[in-house]
């Protein structure tokens, strides 16, 4: 994989797009492809941010700080299905507790827009003692949200007006990885939108057939779709990008 050149991200996107296409596999092995796709996505993200410019300030994010874990989390279907798998394979008491918290978070936040959600201060159901209990499978959205100033994050969480300095590099790499995955999913005939995490997980945990049905091309999380940008607009962008890298 090429190193990300922020002044020309197309080669990086092209490499990712072909990598995802290769991993989506044939219809016969679709179930196993979810883990493969996301291992590639998460490794690509880490590789994309590890060659940060030397003048990039140190990140303030660290274990035990969950200040930003009140924001709305958008995730693709493979990310949601992988987290659902992790929850279902956890000890029964933990599975029950997480399912209960996810259902509660869904009820409390489903009607809130992104701003209201942040202002509500409603914590992500995966926070326990300020740590993320699904850290190894957390979505790209969480990986791409990196702050340079812990004090600013705490102030923002407390509702005090302030600009939180966020790493543009992490946001860019997250977008490139996620968009390349979405473009490849779309080409493979699978639902490729982004969904509100709690709402979509509530659906996935209630129905064991979700993964199989999604692999058949059905948008099982349609009711949780985040449509800040329409699918039509995104499809046009992906087609334009593919024309550039053909
Ligand atoms: S999934 Fe984990 S990292 Fe993401 S918002 Fe929830 S607790 Fe925070």
């Amino acid at each position: 994989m090429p190193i990300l050149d922020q002044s020309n991200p197309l080669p990086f996107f092209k490499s990712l797009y072909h990598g995802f296409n290769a991993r989506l596999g044939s219809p016969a092995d679709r179930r196993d492809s979810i883990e493969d796709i996301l291992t590639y996505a998460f490794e690509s993200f880490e590789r994309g941010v590890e060659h940060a410019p030397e003048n990039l300030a140190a990140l303030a994010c660290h274990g035990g700080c969950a200040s930003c874990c009140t924001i709305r989390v958008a995730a693709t279907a493979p990310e949601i299905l992988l987290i659902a798998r992790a929850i279902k394979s956890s000890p029964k008491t933990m599975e029950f507790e997480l399912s209960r918290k996810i259902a509660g978070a869904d009820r409390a936040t489903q009607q809130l827009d992104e701003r209201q959600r942040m202002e509500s201060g409603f914590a992500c159901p995966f926070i326990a003692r300020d740590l993320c209990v699904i850290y190894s499978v957390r979505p790209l959205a969480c990986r791409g949200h990196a702050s340079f100033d812990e004090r600013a994050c705490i102030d923002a969480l407390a509702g005090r007006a302030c600009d939180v300095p966020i790493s543009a590099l992490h946001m860019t790499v997250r977008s490139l990885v996620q968009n390349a995955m979405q473009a490849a999913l779309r080409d493979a005939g699978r639902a490729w939108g982004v969904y509100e995490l709690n709402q979509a997980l509530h659906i996935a945990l209630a129905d064991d057939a979700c993964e199989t049905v999604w692999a058949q091309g059905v948008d099982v999380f349609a009711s949780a779709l985040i449509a800040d940008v329409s699918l039509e607009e995104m499809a046009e962008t992906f087609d334009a990008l593919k024309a550039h890298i053909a």
Side-chain angles (χ1 to χ4, degrees):
M1 172 172 302
I3 293 171
L4 171 64
D5 172 359
Q6 289 192 74
S7 64
N8 178 22
L10 269 183
F12 189 73
F13 179 86
K14 178 178 180 177
S15 169
L16 288 166
Y17 171 66
H18 290 309
F20 282 118
N21 271 335
R23 283 163 178 80
L24 273 161
S26 62
D29 62 19
R30 277 181 170 177
R31 189 180 187 283
D32 293 338
S33 65
I34 286 179
E35 213 166 310
D36 198 16
I37 291 166
L38 290 176
T39 298
Y40 179 67
F42 297 155
E43 286 179 358
S44 299
F45 175 85
E46 294 306 329
R47 228 170 295 141
V49 296
E50 88 188 355
H51 296 284
E54 281 174 10
N55 60 357
L56 193 75
L59 294 177
C61 302
H62 61 84
C65 175
S67 302
C68 68
C69 294
T70 56
I71 57 176
R72 180 185 70 179
V73 178
T76 57
E79 293 172 284
I80 293 155
L81 292 166
L82 187 69
I83 295 170
R85 273 191 199 177
I87 294 171
K88 287 177 184 175
S89 63
S90 62
K92 282 293 159 207
T93 49
M94 187 169 175
E95 179 186 353
F96 177 79
E97 181 59 10
L98 286 176
S99 300
R100 190 187 62 76
K101 287 172 80 175
I102 290 163
D106 183 27
R107 271 195 306 278
T109 61
Q110 200 180 116
Q111 305 304 323
L112 305 182
D113 63 27
E114 193 168 9
R115 187 180 186 84
Q116 291 168 327
R117 173 74 167 267
M118 183 76 185
E119 286 171 355
S120 76
F122 199 94
C124 176
F126 296 115
I127 285 291
R129 296 196 182 111
D130 284 337
L131 293 174
C132 173
V133 297
I134 56 158
Y135 192 76
S136 64
V137 292
R138 71 198 187 286
L140 286 165
C142 304
R143 294 166 201 254
H145 192 89
S147 165
F148 295 119
D149 186 343
E150 185 174 359
R151 185 72 250 165
C153 295
I154 292 167
D155 285 347
L157 179 67
R160 292 184 281 274
C162 69
D163 283 330
V164 178
I166 297 294
S167 166
L169 173 68
H170 286 69
M171 284 177 68
T172 301
V173 175
R174 173 260 171 126
S175 293
L176 288 166
V177 174
Q178 181 179 298
N179 290 344
M181 175 166 50
Q182 288 179 275
L185 287 169
R186 176 172 169 250
D187 290 355
R190 301 196 217 168
W192 52 277
V194 290
Y195 310 90
E196 198 283 323
L197 182 63
N198 294 323
Q199 202 179 340
L201 273 174
H202 195 187
I203 296 167
L205 293 172
D207 183 358
D208 284 342
C210 256
E211 200 172 304
T212 307
V213 177
W214 174 79
Q216 290 164 351
V218 178
D219 192 356
V220 288
F221 304 123
S223 61
L225 185 71
I226 292 176
D228 296 347
V229 180
S230 74
L231 288 180
E232 291 74 19
E233 208 177 318
M234 287 175 70
E236 275 177 30
T237 304
F238 293 157
D239 286 341
L241 278 170
K242 285 191 303 186
H244 268 88
I245 61 177

